[in-house]
């Protein structure tokens, strides 16, 4: 899937990244139906957040549809529409855990 990725201050690319996947029993994968970048992403692009690794996927503010769930999910199922996926610290945590290159170009959240 396509994603906007960071490659240093002022440098970004729009390109292919690996698909998200359920990794833990409580995970759900949400196909982003609409996504945008936020103020934090703009600070990252400007170079104000030096800890951000090359290849970091930007644009965590989204609405979408659940496409897959782990066996431990309790509150969502495939086909559910999710709104308000904005400002999800979990999305940034997952990006950071993946070294910034595991392309969660959709929101992966714990249920």
């Amino acid at each position: 899937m396509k994603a906007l990725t960071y490659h240093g201050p002022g440098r970004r690319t729009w390109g292919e990244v690996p698909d998200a996947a359920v990794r833990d029993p409580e995970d759900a994968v949400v196909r982003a139906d609409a996504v945008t970048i936020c103020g934090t992403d703009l600070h990252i692009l400007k170079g104000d957040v030096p800890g951000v690794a090359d290849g970091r996927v930007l644009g965590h503010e989204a609405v979408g549809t659940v496409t897959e769930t782990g066996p431990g999910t309790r509150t969502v199922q495939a086909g559910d529409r999710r709104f308000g996926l904005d400002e999800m610290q979990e999305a940034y945590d997952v990006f950071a855990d993946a070294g910034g290159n595991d392309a969660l170009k959709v929101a992966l959240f714990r249920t």
Side-chain angles (χ1 to χ4, degrees):
M1 183 173 168
K2 300 272 186 197
L4 181 68
T5 54
Y6 171 79
H7 299 284
R11 296 190 335 257
R12 67 212 177 273
T13 59
W14 178 253
E16 290 292 326
V17 293
D19 287 338
V22 169
R23 290 188 247 169
D24 295 315
E26 298 84 22
D27 288 351
V29 175
V30 178
R31 180 190 69 237
D33 297 325
V35 66
T36 188
I37 62 172
C38 74
T40 301
D41 296 318
L42 295 175
H43 287 290
I44 291 169
L45 284 169
K46 187 177 173 188
D48 294 339
V49 188
V52 175
D54 183 65
R56 174 79 166 262
V57 175
L58 302 175
H60 68 279
E61 297 198 20
V63 296
T65 304
V66 177
T67 60
E68 183 181 0
T69 61
T73 57
R74 301 176 308 279
T75 59
V76 297
Q77 61 185 0
D80 286 353
R81 296 264 310 157
R82 298 298 295 190
F83 296 91
L85 297 178
D86 60 321
E87 297 305 328
M88 291 181 57
Q89 185 60 46
E90 292 87 354
Y92 278 125
D93 290 345
V94 170
F95 295 146
D97 290 346
N101 293 315
D102 184 20
L104 295 184
K105 65 259 168 234
V106 296
L108 176 65
F109 66 100
R110 306 266 188 254
T111 59

